[in-house]
Amino acid sequence: MSTPRVSVVLPVRDGAAHVAAAVESILGQTLADLELLVVDDGSTDATPAVLAGVRDARCRVLTVAAAGTAAALNHGIAHARGPLIARMDADDVALPERLARQLAVLERHADVGVLGTGWREQGPGGDVVEVAPPPADDAAIRRVLPRRNPMAHPTVVMRRAAGDAVGWYDARLPVVQDYDLWLRLASRTRFANLPEPLLIRTFSTAMTSLARDDLRLATEVRVKWAALRRGDLPATAAVHLLRPVLVRLLPHAVRRARRRRRAGGLGLTARHRA
């Protein structure tokens, strides 16, 4: 069995409504030399039946007991055969040229270990909103990194060697596992983002909940503090520990308004119907 150029790892739990479209978008890529590892993280809905209907030898389904996204990703990566690991979420859709565009860049730039892209967001009503492009080059990404996550996790392709060097995802973290990984990789490799939107992300109302926001903000402080102690962030970045703390102190009404603006396309450049 030949080694694929890229291994795509897609974790899913109870994603029967969307996972078929996500899988189809990867298997329909213009770059055909790939494998897709779908990690079923303890689904209790019709997800196993949907996945059983996939008839493509490039797709493998790995079933595990529910343990969370980070653990599912680590399990999929452990079974992956490619030198590049691409991320995909079960409710997103990759545009056909996504992987071909990313691998072409990685072939030209051996120093880049993590490459993301721009994306569009699709809300519950079907509106697709074009997001302002992310920071593109390594220097721009590093300027943003101490403040917030500058890369959209499901758009990323990573060199396996870089992830192996830091042990991939911390399964103890309930959220922001990707941000934690970028912070641990920062001293070992370079980052880049293609500005073009090559993925459509599904934005659910659950993502705007204050409870989820509280968990994200608290965990963000935790991973930033750990990065400061390791030396992965400069001491001057300590000031950015204050932002998530201050956001949590805002009145709930203000925070709900911020979340609603996020769901409605704050900072976005164009809106159209899918």
Side-chain angles (χ1 to χ4, degrees), residues 105-106 109 111-116 135-143 145 149-151 156-158 162 178-194 232:
V105 171
L106 290 170
H109 299 280
D111 58 332
V112 173
V114 184
L115 175 64
D137 60 28
D138 185 72
I141 289 170
R142 288 178 187 276
R143 285 194 294 270
L145 191 64
N149 189 345
M151 310 190 82
V156 162
V157 176
M158 298 168 276
D178 52 334
Y179 188 33
D180 171 70
L181 180 57
W182 313 152
L183 291 170
R184 289 187 284 117
L185 284 168
S187 63
R188 295 177 177 270
T189 192
R190 294 172 69 82
F191 302 96
N193 277 313
L194 292 174
D232 291 335

Side-chain angles (χ1 to χ4, degrees), residues 139-213:
I141 289 170
R142 288 178 187 276
R143 285 194 294 270
V144 174
L145 191 64
R147 302 197 303 272
R148 59 175 175 82
N149 189 345
M151 310 190 82
H153 195 197
T155 72
V156 162
V157 176
M158 298 168 276
R159 296 193 191 274
R160 182 174 197 128
D164 285 348
V166 298
W168 290 101
Y169 296 92
D170 186 343
R172 298 169 297 180
L173 297 176
V175 290
V176 303
Q177 305 97 334
D178 52 334
Y179 188 33
D180 171 70
L181 180 57
W182 313 152
L183 291 170
R184 289 187 284 117
L185 284 168
S187 63
R188 295 177 177 270
T189 192
R190 294 172 69 82
F191 302 96
N193 277 313
L194 292 174
E196 295 87 352
L198 296 174
L199 186 92
I200 298 175
R201 303 181 70 183
T202 299
F203 192 88
S204 69
T205 53
M207 294 169 69
T208 68
S209 72
L210 289 181
R212 181 178 175 85
D213 205 33

